[in-house]
Amino acid sequence: LSLLMLITFITSLAQFSLTPTGFVADTEKDFYVENINGTQQELFNKVKTVITEMMVSADDATSYNEYDIISLRVHIPKITIFSWAGIKSYWDCTASFKILFKDNRIRFNAPSFDNDFQQWLNPGKRNAWTGENHLFNIKNNKPYYKESVIEIQDKINEIINFIVEKTKNNENEEW
């Protein structure tokens, strides 16, 4: 694949964009729907299998109501790295996803985060004396760290893309 084709492929799969009010899909809603052939039960089972394969301990990271919803918690180390007040810093976070199922559709709700990371995502003022820092400027809602917005979006969308692609390709293999 050429670099341009790879970039086009990656951006064509992006579901969520990070805004000062949280994640939104291209539809301006706080959820993204992927159409995949299968009954509600089949899609639920396929996604549950994908999550079990990707997690070290899926029991610790998931809960579910069979065939309706899967709640998934994912620890994301160094979701973004940035410099502030001359110091290089990074954020680890825990993202929580709700994945819902209907015949031929999987819905991914916008992720939520642990309290410290969520507070950093909210608009606010930066104060070098107190160490208070935020991703978005409270006055104009523009990001202080544009690269961080892109890194966070990419990592969140990468998780969703992985689940979607593995679910689509999760056919019964002979082995």
Side-chain angles (χ1 to χ4, degrees):
L1 286 174
S2 72
L3 183 58
L4 180 58
M5 287 174 61
L6 182 61
I7 291 171
T8 302
F9 174 74
I10 290 171
T11 57
S12 69
L13 292 177
Q15 294 87 15
F16 286 107
S17 298
L18 182 57
T19 70
T21 57
F23 279 94
V24 294
D26 294 339
T27 59
E28 298 299 318
K29 296 188 177 180
D30 65 350
F31 62 87
Y32 168 78
V33 176
E34 181 72 36
N35 296 313
I36 301 176
N37 290 334
T39 65
Q40 179 180 13
Q41 182 177 351
E42 290 170 339
L43 293 174
F44 176 90
N45 288 334
K46 285 181 179 183
V47 170
K48 188 175 173 188
T49 298
V50 168
I51 290 170
T52 301
E53 289 173 357
M54 72 185 249
M55 303 299 288
V56 173
S57 176
D59 289 338
D60 295 337
T62 61
S63 61
Y64 53 88
N65 182 10
E66 283 215 344
Y67 314 133
D68 291 323
I69 187 169
I70 294 176
S71 297
L72 172 65
R73 280 188 331 273
V74 180
H75 178 73
I76 307 171
K78 295 186 180 178
I79 191 168
T80 186
I81 299 171
F82 60 95
S83 290
W84 181 62
I87 300 171
K88 196 170 200 173
S89 301
Y90 66 89
W91 275 102
D92 291 344
C93 75
T94 300
S96 297
F97 298 87
K98 301 280 188 218
I99 307 168
L100 293 85
F101 302 87
K102 288 190 177 185
D103 288 349
N104 301 311
R105 293 185 296 177
I106 300 174
R107 173 179 160 163
F108 293 86
N109 286 354
S112 60
F113 298 94
D114 55 83
N115 289 338
D116 289 342
F117 190 70
Q118 185 60 53
Q119 184 176 354
W120 182 70
L121 291 177
N122 293 334
K125 296 178 182 178
R126 295 191 299 181
N127 185 330
W129 299 108
T130 64
E132 188 172 348
N133 194 8
H134 294 273
L135 181 56
F136 290 97
N137 186 324
I138 197 166
K139 291 181 183 177
N140 60 16
N141 284 330
K142 292 189 179 181
Y144 290 115
Y145 315 102
K146 291 179 187 177
E147 299 83 12
S148 287
V149 171
I150 293 167
E151 288 173 342
I152 294 165
Q153 287 174 171
D154 287 352
K155 288 184 181 167
I156 292 301
N157 287 323
E158 182 181 305
I159 292 166
I160 295 169
N161 292 337
F162 179 84
I163 294 169
V164 167
E165 290 308 307
K166 290 290 263 181
T167 300
K168 286 180 177 179
N169 297 326
N170 189 0
E171 298 300 324
N172 290 332
E173 298 175 2
E174 289 190 36
W175 49 276

